[in-house]
Amino acid sequence: MKQKHKMNNKNLSINKEVFGKISNNVVYLFTLSNNNGMIVRISNYGGIIQSLIVPDKNGQTDDIVLGFDSLDEYLAGHPYFGAIVGRCCNRISNARFTLDGIEYKLSANNGNDHLHGGVEGFDKKIFEAEEFQKQHTVGIVLKYLSPDGEENYPGNLLLKVTYSLNNKNELKIEYEAKTDKATPLNLSNHSYFNLTGAGNGNIYNHILTIDANKYTLLNENLIPSGENPDVSETAFDFRKPKIIGSGINKLPYQGFDTNFVLNNKGNLSKVINIEETNTGRKLEISTDQPCVQFYTSNFLDGSNKGKLGKVYNKHDAFCLETQQFPDAPNNENFPSTILRPGQVFRSTTIYKLIWEK
Ligand code: GLA
C-alpha cells in the first residue's frame, strides 16, 4: 500500500479499504481521520495500528509508529508492531500456570517461557470489524472469539476491542472480555513509537515521565521475582521528566524492558508523558491498568525494513504497554488476573497527541 497522507481531508471520517487476504479471508485497513490532521490506520488483522500520522510544531506530518506498508510483510513475522497482545501479554514463566487445582501448559515461545499469548496470539488473529461514526468520534469495534483450548488457555473468551479517534487528538482503546471458564487474561497494545517519525533514528532525546513509585524486579529471563521496589535512586525513577538516553546503554537487557507499577489506583488517569522537543510532539497516556511495560525496542536489529523502506534498529522506538501485573498467574504477591464466568473485564487506555503550534 502506498503512503497517502490525506491532509486535504480535514473532517472526522472513517474509510475502509482492503489490506490483503489470508487464504479466503479479506483483511481490511481502516483509516480514521480527525479535523486536526491526525490520521490513524488500523487493521482487523491483529488489531494492528499500522500508522499514526500527526503534524509537528511546524505543521509537517510524520508517521510516528513502526510497521509495514503491506499485509504480507506483517504475515512474514515481526515483533508485535502495533498489535493487540493476549490472551496474556508479557511473560508466563515456564509456560505454565495452575488454576483451581488444574495445571495448564502453554507454548514456550520465548526460551522456556510463554510470551504475548504464544505461537499464535491475538496479534495474529483476524477480528470481525465494524466501523462507526458518531458526532465527536470515529472508530471501529473489533471482535474475536478465542476458542476454549486455544494456545491451551481454558474457556471460550469473547474479546471486544474498540478503537476511536476524536478531535481532541485522542486515540482511545477500550477492551472488553467475557469467558465461560476461568482463565487468566492480560491485554495490551504493542505499538512502537518514535515521536520524530518511525525510522528517523533513536529515541534517546525523548523526555519521559511515568507516575510510578515502584517497578518490578526481574530475573535474567525478564521474569518477575514478585518484588516491587521503590524507584528512588534507580534508573527507573521517571517521576520527574528524564531523557530516555541517559544511561540506557548501562542497563541490563540492553535497555529498558521493565514493568512499572502505576500510581493510578485503578482509575483512568494520566500517568505517562513523553515528549520530543525538536518536533514539539508530545504523547500523553491515560489508563486504568495497574502497570506499564516500558520497552525500548532492544531487540530490533535492522532486519525489519518498515514503511517507506526505512530500517528499524535497536532503540529506534519505545513501547509503553499498559497492562496488568506480568506473570500474575504464577505470583501470589500480584493482584489476580483471572477472569471468571459472569464477570466482564473492561479497561481503557488513551493516547493523546499534542504538537505545539
Ligand atoms: C515486550 C517484551 C520484550 C520483547 C518485546 C517483543 O515488550 O517485554 O522483552 O519480547 O515485547 O519483542
Side-chain angles (χ1 to χ4, degrees):
M1 224 208 52
K2 290 253 161 61
Q3 290 296 127
K4 270 190 252 153
H5 295 191
K6 272 194 339 180
M7 284 303 295
N8 51 347
N9 181 2
K10 287 202 171 180
N11 277 319
L12 208 50
S13 68
I14 178 151
N15 283 304
K16 177 180 180 180
E17 63 193 302
V18 172
F19 195 31
K21 259 183 146 188
I22 301 177
S23 20
N24 284 331
N25 299 303
V26 180
V27 169
Y28 296 98
L29 191 62
F30 295 87
T31 303
L32 287 57
S33 315
N34 78 3
N35 293 3
N36 310 314
M38 184 166 159
I39 300 169
V40 189
R41 292 202 174 92
I42 301 164
S43 175
N44 65 324
Y45 174 69
I48 288 174
I49 300 177
Q50 186 263 349
S51 52
L52 177 52
I53 296 159
V54 286
D56 69 4
K57 63 182 177 190
N58 301 314
Q60 194 196 304
T61 56
D62 280 294
D63 188 346
I64 60 160
V65 293
L66 275 54
F68 302 106
D69 288 318
S70 72
L71 177 63
D72 284 348
E73 289 165 290
Y74 284 100
L75 297 178
H78 65 104
Y80 310 93
F81 287 151
I84 299 296
V85 277
R87 200 177 284 199
C88 285
C89 64
N90 215 314
R91 291 169 177 79
I92 303 279
S93 58
N94 296 311
R96 51 136 332 262
F97 64 92
T98 302
L99 174 57
D100 298 337
I102 302 171
E103 179 174 54
Y104 293 91
K105 291 206 165 78
L106 305 171
S107 50
N109 59 331
N110 194 241
N112 293 328
D113 306 313
H114 175 84
L115 177 70
H116 293 327
V119 175
E120 212 182 285
F122 296 164
D123 59 294
K124 296 182 187 69
K125 301 295 179 189
I126 301 177
F127 290 64
E128 212 183 283
E130 208 174 309
E131 65 267 46
F132 65 85
Q133 173 138 25
K134 296 184 183 161
Q135 201 189 346
H136 298 294
T137 53
V138 283
I140 54 170
V141 179
L142 298 177
K143 283 185 191 155
Y144 175 66
L145 176 66
S146 169
D148 188 8
E150 184 176 66
E151 290 286 338
N152 272 344
Y153 284 105
N156 292 295
L157 181 93
L158 183 61
L159 171 66
K160 187 167 121 183
V161 180
T162 306
Y163 282 102
S164 61
L165 176 69
N166 63 21
N167 282 327
K168 290 189 264 173
N169 305 325
E170 290 171 336
L171 171 63
K172 191 196 270 187
I173 311 181
E174 290 161 286
Y175 303 89
E176 192 185 297
K178 291 176 194 162
T179 184
D180 61 3
K181 280 186 196 161
T183 178
L185 177 73
N186 198 355
L187 299 167
S188 192
N189 176 280
H190 209 301
S191 286
Y192 289 68
F193 299 92
N194 181 325
L195 296 180
T196 67
N200 288 350
N202 67 46
I203 39 95
Y204 294 158
N205 73 340
H206 287 48
I207 302 164
L208 174 65
T209 318
I210 306 180
D211 186 14
N213 291 344
K214 292 176 188 305
Y215 72 104
T216 300
L217 275 194
L218 303 173
N219 75 10
E220 66 284 3
N221 296 323
L222 294 146
I223 298 295
S225 69
E227 295 147 276
N228 300 309
D230 207 291
V231 293
S232 308
E233 291 168 41
T234 72
F236 309 110
D237 191 352
F238 282 97
R239 291 173 298 182
K240 293 202 183 95
K242 198 166 82 184
I243 296 231
I244 292 182
S246 62
I248 193 174
N249 286 311
K250 287 190 214 122
L251 290 167
Y253 326 118
Q254 306 184 56
F256 290 97
D257 197 351
T258 306
N259 179 62
F260 289 76
V261 184
L262 298 168
N263 294 336
N264 59 4
K265 299 195 175 78
N267 301 318
L268 179 61
S269 46
K270 197 176 90 185
V271 277
I272 297 167
N273 182 86
I274 182 156
E275 55 190 279
E276 200 283 323
T277 47
N278 294 325
T279 56
R281 291 194 184 109
K282 205 194 267 185
L283 171 64
E284 285 179 358
I285 305 179
S286 302
T287 191
D288 52 18
Q289 290 282 273
C291 299
V292 67
Q293 180 87 7
F294 173 44
Y295 169 59
T296 43
S297 62
N298 312 331
F299 303 130
L300 292 183
D301 58 6
S303 58
N304 288 112
K305 209 180 246 186
K307 288 172 277 188
L308 305 171
K310 291 193 178 179
V311 171
Y312 302 144
N313 285 304
K314 179 172 149 182
H315 300 164
D316 277 0
F318 63 88
C319 302
L320 286 159
E321 307 156 45
T322 58
Q323 59 192 262
Q324 302 188 73
F325 281 76
D327 199 24
N330 291 314
N331 228 308
E332 283 175 2
N333 295 350
F334 292 167
S336 169
T337 51
I338 305 300
L339 182 71
R340 295 190 179 270
Q343 297 179 327
V344 183
F345 173 84
R346 282 199 185 88
S347 170
T348 302
T349 294
I350 301 171
Y351 303 86
K352 182 180 171 71
L353 270 305
I354 296 164
W355 52 91
E356 283 161 22
K357 292 257 162 73

